Amino acid sequence: MAGHGPPDSSGIVTGINVTPLVDITLVLLIIFIVTAKIVVAPAVPLDLPRASTSEELQVVLSVVVPASGPVLVDGVAMPDRAALRARASVALARDADVRAVINADGATPHRRVVEALDLLREVGIARVAFGALPLEEPAR
């Protein structure tokens, strides 16, 4: 080693240079910190309804968009867009902080979901979350 005098013929190491070990450890620590920050940040911000354990009551408007058939709002079939608009307006008039949850199965065309979302936004419901219905298993 440098600075320890002439090397002995016995080959005994009298000192270990730990600088490379510390350098590698610090680099790994920096990589871990940067990666942890990326992993924690969500890719898509969602406004999901929260479960209320306090006395505060949350009003949720459930909108189910099936692959075929009418849109359901709180379990009631809406024959057309006007009925859906009226039902959403009533829910918004009852509670200004109403949240809408749009549920659609995997076979639902994207345009039907976007149409329901646009209609809710037109009425003035800004808090919208998305759920998903499970895929139907084929009969065996």
Side-chain angles (χ1 to χ4, degrees), residues 88-106:
S89 296
V90 168
L92 185 63
R94 269 189 271 145
D95 186 6
D97 290 332
V98 67
R99 289 178 182 257
V101 178
I102 297 176
N103 294 301
D105 63 26

Side-chain angles (χ1 to χ4, degrees), residues 11-127:
I12 298 175
V13 177
T14 58
I16 299 175
N17 189 1
V18 295
T19 305
L21 177 65
V22 172
D23 289 344
I24 290 173
T25 306
L26 289 176
V27 168
L28 290 175
L29 179 66
I30 291 171
I31 291 172
F32 174 75
I33 290 171
V34 170
T35 329
K37 186 73 173 172
I38 292 172
V39 169
V40 172
V44 178
L46 298 175
D47 183 22
L48 299 176
R50 291 180 172 75
S52 175
T53 56
S54 65
E55 294 179 13
E56 179 184 337
L57 180 65
Q58 243 181 15
V59 178
V60 176
L61 182 69
S62 173
V63 179
V64 178
V65 184
S68 61
V71 173
L72 304 172
V73 176
D74 292 334
V76 178
M78 299 289 115
D80 57 4
R81 291 176 51 94
L84 177 58
R85 183 186 311 268
R87 186 73 177 243
S89 296
V90 168
L92 185 63
R94 269 189 271 145
D95 186 6
D97 290 332
V98 67
R99 289 178 182 257
V101 178
I102 297 176
N103 294 301
D105 63 26
T108 302
H110 184 70
R111 69 179 162 277
R112 289 195 73 193
V113 176
V114 171
E115 182 179 293
L117 177 63
D118 285 343
L119 194 129
L120 293 172
R121 295 284 173 124
E122 286 174 11
V123 170
I125 298 177
R127 293 179 163 186

